[in-house]
Amino acid sequence: MEKIKPRTLSGFMELLPQKQAQMERVMEILRETYALYGFYPLDTPVLEASDVLLAKGGGETEKQIYRFQKGDSDLAMRFDLTVPLAKYVALNYGQLVFPFRRYQIGKVYRGERAQRGRFREFYQADIDIIGDGQLDIINEAEIPSIIYQIFTRLGLQRFRISVNNRKILNGFYAMLGLTEKSGDIMRTVDKLDKIGAEKVRAVLTEELSVCTQDADEILGFIAISGGNDAVLAALENYRGRNAVFDEGLDELKTVVQYLAAFGVPESHFAVDLTIARGLDYYTGTVYETTMLDHPEIGSICSGGRYDNLAGYYTDKKLPGVGISIGLTRLFFVLEDKNYLNENPPAAPADVMILPMTEDIAPSIALATQLREHGVRVQLHCEKKKFKAKITCADKLHIPYVIFMGEDEIAKNIIALKELATGEQTNTGFEQALARIQAGLRNAGKVILDQ
Amino acid sequence: MEKIKPRTLSGFMELLPQKQAQMERVMEILRETYALYGFYPLDTPVLEASDVLLAKGGGETEKQIYRFQKGDSDLAMRFDLTVPLAKYVALNYGQLVFPFRRYQIGKVYRGERAQRGRFREFYQADIDIIGDGQLDIINEAEIPSIIYQIFTRLGLQRFRISVNNRKILNGFYAMLGLTEKSGDIMRTVDKLDKIGAEKVRAVLTEELSVCTQDADEILGFIAISGGNDAVLAALENYRGRNAVFDEGLDELKTVVQYLAAFGVPESHFAVDLTIARGLDYYTGTVYETTMLDHPEIGSICSGGRYDNLAGYYTDKKLPGVGISIGLTRLFFVLEDKNYLNENPPAAPADVMILPMTEDIAPSIALATQLREHGVRVQLHCEKKKFKAKITCADKLHIPYVIFMGEDEIAKNIIALKELATGEQTNTGFEQALARIQAGLRNAGKVILDQ
């Protein structure tokens, strides 16, 4: 029979089992954490009618879309999770309870030019809180605490959540009479980290025709830095000159004020006036999250407040706040920078049982008993040499093996060996279970961050 | 601005939040249970090169495939999880540890004619154990225990796992000299439940030209029934006439023998000689699972042993055993037949906190504290009337609310109300937490089966 060469499309992440186990653990922690904050899980189709998916229209994204005809239908694969959310909320408006809190972890598709670290199929992990007509500022304060919990539970330690408020920026530019140019100015200022202050000044004065004095004001404004209290105090100096600015400052102060109660330490949080987010979509608080040791990666979790989720589907005003993690890219980076824990999070089981008797019923019964206690067990019953089975457990990173020979069965003892240390104990079931459980508790998080 | 009408494609399941929460709980139980049996999670792309995906070729499925051109690439959306597994194992053969145990829960696509209860995008939940050259029979005994655990953990009680062995069937037909017709005969016999014995006999004698005596033998054989011991004893009467039959009988006896150790009660398991599975693919043990109160639904979890997973990609012999749950259809059926628990499994949170003070920091701190103990919390901070907030908790099926007024904060007590009973307690944090946790333990499984 002629064989077809098996292959996976370029730009499509397909992980080996141990890597996939780590990815699954990351997703599990995301799901658990989102659930703690009272978000519904949501799932929407990968395929939508093209006119629905492209309702917002145009732009760079449209060219990248996987779009095709099937029978009479013009179909497209989703390219983000925001448009499907907008569709869902508009479609089911009457049946939802607001504020509507949902998370969604799902694959999206963009036919970008394939290159290292860029994917055509990738997971996004989004949370959004949607209000009906209005949405309280407290929701904007809760979001950084979710970001903090997510990365802390994953094991990342050296990261910072940067927060700003678009109203402060918009209000500031209004003070200078630069409202019409504010979009262009913010896109320029957003590049400060990449191109530096002098280049920003040059773009402002030469390309955007901002006068020198205003450019200096802008650069002075975005240079405001220091601890959160210092930044907020500096911003107070602008109060009273523009209503939108004042509103933004009040919001930012509220967000900062409640962060301690939400459990976010000051060390992991900074007011940063250079954050604007590229999208014109955001209208209030905006967030970015950076790894302190890898600023070159850019933001690993971003989002913000928007006023109108679904304007292209409905007249209802649906303000919201949300964040998104580009999960496939984040995982690629974590692997690339050696952040992933190879140990139990990457193993398919906690224990491998090696039956060494003809009748394997006692081994099976033990596996059943361990599983009832939540221990993940593989039974290795293949006709292989003993040493090959140990090698197999080792290759799978399974931390414990149990030998079930005539002796152990007759004496009703568990011969439990920890592969990393070689230490073997012969005890009763309860002690063996306790040893396994204690070992698993010490196994460490999925990300190892020194 | 002109609006686009939001809509979801026909044949694509998109659930309302409470239903989706139940679906998510079902998937969570599947993931947890598969993990207990030492399966790796696997994830493969939704899109593959068409020649890779259609390597096996042809048949009814090919017409249903979502296939399209993007640039120079001929792409197709996966229509099951077995072909991608075969590709994956062939592609990564050198880097896998065998037996390779994987589960995959993923969406697959078939452009079938849309009708009630049929979906074009649907989840399959598959597990497979793949051997390198050989695979021990014990794996075939372990599979029913996984099926049993899955449905029991979901809450289903009245179901039965039916098991047969294709070698017994093939050996039996060989005894009668009907090997060449055995495929057609088995497909006919497989319809026994639907069309009855007389119609089966008619098809056998008229369409398949089986002589009357052999047709009687066949009907007599498949009529063997009763308890597992009785069926196995009846099968012993055929021993010694055909080697394949004898091998199949030994395998079946081994599977039955170890089931008790694997924790499967006899009540939920039956040897059933009428089970053959339509696919020619299976070569040994085969499984079907039926809901006792809804036999009309057909099998809700099926699979079996096969000898050659990936013959169209590789010369390696890769025998395996696997089962598949058509999750989207199963969920549709469970909802349709009113099996789903509306209570906490469908709620987005366990507790809603209602702040009743200007400074909501104490409410936030309480939410943070409860979340640290694994309690799912929503803070309701919107500017709404008190009664509207209670209604909101009620609509979301959130079982508990906590009122945080001046009094509670001053006295450091938790005013906790259970919405179902109206019972309110005013206690310290630890007692309130214990009450919530006790309530959640009693919340019931996702399936309520009387």
Side-chain angles (χ1 to χ4, degrees):
Chain A
M1 179 178 171
E2 207 187 327
K3 306 296 177 193
I4 302 284
K5 188 174 151 53
R7 63 189 193 283
T8 299
L9 293 168
S10 159
F12 287 69
M13 180 182 268
E14 188 174 67
L15 298 167
L16 282 169
Q18 284 173 32
K19 295 293 164 200
Q20 187 61 50
Q22 292 165 325
M23 178 60 138
E24 178 60 29
R25 184 77 188 112
V26 170
M27 289 204 250
E28 190 182 332
I29 289 168
L30 262 55
R31 288 189 297 257
E32 284 170 6
T33 311
Y34 295 152
L36 284 179
Y37 285 80
F39 287 80
Y40 269 122
L42 190 67
D43 189 20
T44 63
V46 168
L47 282 178
E48 301 272 5
S50 294
D51 64 320
V52 171
L53 206 62
L54 300 172
K56 201 177 176 178
E60 199 49 35
T61 314
E62 188 157 350
K63 288 180 222 148
Q64 302 174 343
I65 284 173
Y66 289 87
R67 179 175 177 174
F68 60 96
Q69 203 76 18
K70 170 93 177 163
D72 295 336
S73 306
D74 180 0
L75 305 174
M77 297 175 81
R78 65 184 177 203
F79 55 89
D80 72 5
L81 301 178
T82 303
V83 174
L85 172 66
K87 181 212 74 173
Y88 183 90
V89 176
L91 182 59
N92 299 300
Y93 173 82
Q95 292 170 86
L96 300 179
V97 178
F98 293 93
F100 174 58
R101 301 162 75 93
R102 84 86 174 81
Y103 75 82
Q104 181 165 12
I105 302 174
K107 287 178 170 177
V108 304
Y109 297 82
R110 294 186 196 173
E112 292 191 77
R113 199 166 61 80
Q115 50 179 310
R116 188 167 186 282
R118 285 274 161 204
F119 298 92
R120 290 170 171 170
E121 176 188 69
F122 55 98
Y123 278 99
Q124 288 192 331
D126 282 19
I127 57 173
D128 286 271
I129 309 171
I130 313 295
D132 182 12
Q134 54 184 19
L135 187 71
D136 198 89
I137 180 71
I138 295 300
N139 296 289
E140 287 161 61
E142 193 173 34
I143 292 285
S145 77
I146 303 173
I147 301 175
Y148 175 75
Q149 280 296 327
I150 287 287
F151 290 108
T152 302
R153 283 164 183 257
L154 287 172
L156 199 66
Q157 294 173 26
R158 294 185 39 73
F159 66 94
R160 182 181 297 129
I161 306 162
S162 300
V163 176
N164 195 7
N165 192 301
R166 287 291 293 252
K167 289 177 190 167
I168 290 179
L169 300 180
N170 293 336
F172 172 75
Y173 294 114
M175 287 176 207
L176 302 181
L178 291 170
T179 296
E180 277 175 30
K181 293 179 182 167
S182 67
D184 289 334
I185 295 172
M186 280 190 266
R187 270 184 288 275
T188 306
V189 164
D190 208 21
K191 294 176 195 151
L192 183 69
D193 279 353
K194 285 180 198 150
I195 64 177
E198 280 319 301
K199 187 88 174 87
V200 166
R201 184 196 306 272
V203 175
L204 291 179
T205 53
E206 289 160 28
E207 291 179 26
L208 302 179
S209 311
V210 172
C211 71
T212 317
Q213 189 188 339
D214 285 352
D216 286 341
E217 274 248 49
I218 292 168
L219 283 162
F221 179 79
I222 62 171
I224 294 172
S225 64
N228 294 334
D229 290 344
V231 173
L232 292 174
L235 289 174
E236 283 296 338
N237 296 328
Y238 296 82
R239 191 183 283 278
R241 291 167 59 187
N242 178 282
V244 172
F245 179 94
D246 293 355
E247 196 179 314
L249 181 52
D250 287 338
E251 290 181 3
L252 187 59
K253 290 178 83 166
T254 303
V255 168
V256 173
Q257 175 197 338
Y258 285 124
L259 276 175
F262 271 120
V264 183
E266 175 118 14
S267 57
H268 283 69
F269 176 80
V271 174
D272 182 343
L273 300 181
T274 66
I275 304 293
R277 300 303 304 149
L279 292 166
D280 292 326
Y281 180 61
Y282 295 114
T283 52
T285 310
V286 285
Y287 316 94
E288 289 190 356
T289 314
T290 42
M291 292 170 72
L292 297 183
D293 300 320
H294 292 288
E296 78 281 7
I297 289 159
S299 177
I300 56 174
C301 177
S302 314
R305 159 85 184 211
Y306 43 88
D307 276 346
N308 208 356
L309 173 71
Y312 32 102
Y313 298 128
T314 175
D315 283 325
K316 302 279 178 204
K317 198 186 159 214
L318 299 166
V321 59
I323 48 170
S324 180
I325 298 175
L327 196 54
T328 299
R329 173 155 170 77
L330 174 63
F331 189 83
F332 172 84
V333 165
L334 291 172
E335 192 192 353
D336 198 46
K337 308 288 181 199
N338 283 315
Y339 274 90
L340 296 174
N341 186 351
E342 294 286 321
N343 279 313
D350 307 316
V351 175
M352 182 181 279
I353 295 178
L354 305 188
M356 293 148 67
T357 53
E358 186 69 22
D359 175 12
I360 66 160
S363 293
I364 295 174
L366 177 64
T368 303
Q369 201 180 358
L370 284 167
R371 286 165 181 159
E372 279 165 3
H373 285 84
V375 177
R376 302 177 305 151
V377 180
Q378 277 195 7
L379 268 168
H380 200 314
C381 300
E382 302 308 301
K383 281 159 200 67
K384 284 190 181 169
K385 295 224 170 77
F386 182 74
K387 210 179 155 194
K389 292 187 180 188
I390 298 278
T391 306
C392 173
D394 215 37
K395 278 192 192 161
L396 292 170
H397 293 254
I398 296 176
Y400 296 99
V401 293
I402 292 176
F403 311 108
M404 284 289 276
E406 301 290 357
D407 239 38
E408 286 79 12
I409 293 166
K411 294 180 184 156
N412 198 24
I413 57 169
I414 311 292
L416 175 70
K417 182 172 184 168
E418 185 175 1
L419 290 186
T421 61
E423 191 191 341
Q424 186 176 330
T425 51
N426 298 291
T427 66
F429 177 81
E430 293 300 333
Q431 294 101 306
L433 176 65
R435 187 172 163 218
I436 294 164
Q437 288 172 334
L440 295 178
R441 274 194 298 275
N442 294 329
K445 302 197 170 176
V446 64
I447 295 176
L448 291 179
D449 188 5
Q450 285 78 23
Chain B
M1 179 177 171
E2 208 186 327
K3 308 295 177 193
I4 302 283
K5 190 175 148 54
R7 63 189 193 281
T8 299
L9 293 167
S10 158
F12 287 67
M13 181 183 268
E14 188 174 67
L15 298 166
L16 283 169
Q18 284 174 30
K19 295 293 165 200
Q20 187 61 51
Q22 292 165 326
M23 177 61 138
E24 178 61 29
R25 183 77 188 113
V26 170
M27 290 205 249
E28 190 183 332
I29 288 168
L30 263 54
R31 288 188 298 257
E32 284 171 6
T33 310
Y34 296 152
L36 284 178
Y37 285 81
F39 287 80
Y40 270 122
L42 190 67
D43 190 20
T44 62
V46 168
L47 282 178
E48 302 271 6
S50 294
D51 64 320
V52 171
L53 205 62
L54 299 171
K56 200 177 176 179
E60 198 49 35
T61 315
E62 189 156 349
K63 287 180 224 149
Q64 302 174 343
I65 285 174
Y66 289 87
R67 179 176 179 174
F68 60 95
Q69 203 77 20
K70 169 93 177 163
D72 295 336
S73 307
D74 180 0
L75 306 173
M77 296 176 82
R78 66 185 177 203
F79 56 90
D80 72 5
L81 301 177
T82 303
V83 174
L85 172 66
K87 181 212 74 173
Y88 183 90
V89 176
L91 183 59
N92 300 300
Y93 172 82
Q95 293 171 84
L96 300 179
V97 178
F98 293 93
F100 174 58
R101 301 162 75 91
R102 84 86 175 80
Y103 75 82
Q104 182 165 11
I105 302 174
K107 287 179 170 178
V108 304
Y109 297 82
R110 296 186 195 172
E112 294 191 76
R113 198 165 62 80
Q115 50 180 308
R116 188 168 187 279
R118 286 272 161 205
F119 298 92
R120 291 171 169 169
E121 175 187 70
F122 55 97
Y123 278 100
Q124 286 192 332
D126 281 21
I127 58 175
D128 286 272
I129 308 170
I130 313 295
D132 182 12
Q134 54 184 18
L135 187 71
D136 199 272
I137 179 72
I138 295 300
N139 296 290
E140 288 162 62
E142 194 174 34
I143 293 284
S145 77
I146 304 173
I147 301 175
Y148 175 74
Q149 280 296 326
I150 288 287
F151 289 108
T152 302
R153 283 164 184 257
L154 287 172
L156 199 66
Q157 294 175 27
R158 295 184 39 73
F159 66 95
R160 181 182 296 130
I161 305 162
S162 301
V163 176
N164 195 7
N165 192 301
R166 286 292 293 252
K167 290 177 190 167
I168 290 179
L169 300 180
N170 293 336
F172 171 75
Y173 293 113
M175 287 176 205
L176 301 182
L178 291 170
T179 295
E180 277 176 30
K181 292 180 184 168
S182 68
D184 288 334
I185 294 172
M186 280 191 266
R187 269 184 287 278
T188 305
V189 163
D190 207 23
K191 294 176 196 153
L192 182 69
D193 278 354
K194 285 181 197 150
I195 64 176
E198 280 318 300
K199 187 86 175 88
V200 166
R201 183 196 306 272
V203 175
L204 291 178
T205 53
E206 289 161 27
E207 292 179 25
L208 302 178
S209 310
V210 172
C211 72
T212 317
Q213 192 187 340
D214 287 351
D216 284 342
E217 274 248 51
I218 293 167
L219 284 163
F221 178 79
I222 60 171
I224 295 173
S225 65
N228 295 334
D229 290 344
V231 173
L232 291 174
L235 289 173
E236 282 296 338
N237 296 327
Y238 295 83
R239 192 183 282 279
R241 291 166 61 185
N242 178 280
V244 172
F245 179 93
D246 292 356
E247 196 180 312
L249 181 51
D250 287 339
E251 289 181 3
L252 188 59
K253 289 177 83 166
T254 303
V255 168
V256 173
Q257 176 197 337
Y258 284 125
L259 276 174
F262 272 121
V264 183
E266 174 116 16
S267 56
H268 284 69
F269 177 79
V271 174
D272 182 341
L273 300 181
T274 65
I275 304 293
R277 302 302 304 149
L279 293 165
D280 292 325
Y281 181 61
Y282 295 114
T283 52
T285 310
V286 285
Y287 315 94
E288 289 190 357
T289 313
T290 42
M291 292 170 73
L292 297 183
D293 299 322
H294 292 288
E296 78 281 7
I297 290 159
S299 177
I300 56 173
C301 177
S302 314
R305 159 86 184 210
Y306 44 88
D307 276 345
N308 208 355
L309 173 71
Y312 34 101
Y313 299 127
T314 176
D315 283 325
K316 302 279 179 205
K317 198 187 159 213
L318 298 166
V321 58
I323 48 170
S324 180
I325 298 175
L327 197 54
T328 299
R329 174 155 169 75
L330 174 63
F331 190 84
F332 172 84
V333 165
L334 291 172
E335 193 192 353
D336 197 46
K337 309 289 182 198
N338 282 315
Y339 275 89
L340 296 174
N341 185 352
E342 295 286 321
N343 279 313
D350 307 316
V351 175
M352 182 182 279
I353 296 178
L354 305 188
M356 292 148 68
T357 54
E358 187 69 21
D359 176 12
I360 66 160
S363 293
I364 295 174
L366 176 64
T368 302
Q369 200 181 358
L370 285 167
R371 286 165 180 158
E372 279 164 5
H373 285 84
V375 177
R376 302 178 303 151
V377 180
Q378 278 195 6
L379 268 168
H380 201 313
C381 299
E382 302 309 301
K383 284 161 198 66
K384 284 190 180 170
K385 294 225 172 77
F386 182 74
K387 210 180 154 192
K389 293 188 180 186
I390 298 277
T391 305
C392 174
D394 214 37
K395 277 192 193 161
L396 293 171
H397 292 257
I398 297 176
Y400 296 98
V401 293
I402 292 176
F403 311 107
M404 285 288 275
E406 301 290 356
D407 238 38
E408 286 78 14
I409 294 166
K411 294 180 185 157
N412 198 24
I413 56 168
I414 311 292
L416 175 70
K417 182 172 183 167
E418 184 176 1
L419 289 187
T421 61
E423 192 191 340
Q424 186 176 328
T425 51
N426 298 290
T427 66
F429 177 81
E430 293 300 333
Q431 295 100 305
L433 176 64
R435 187 173 163 217
I436 294 164
Q437 287 172 334
L440 295 179
R441 275 195 296 277
N442 293 329
K445 301 195 171 177
V446 63
I447 295 177
L448 291 178
D449 188 4
Q450 285 77 21

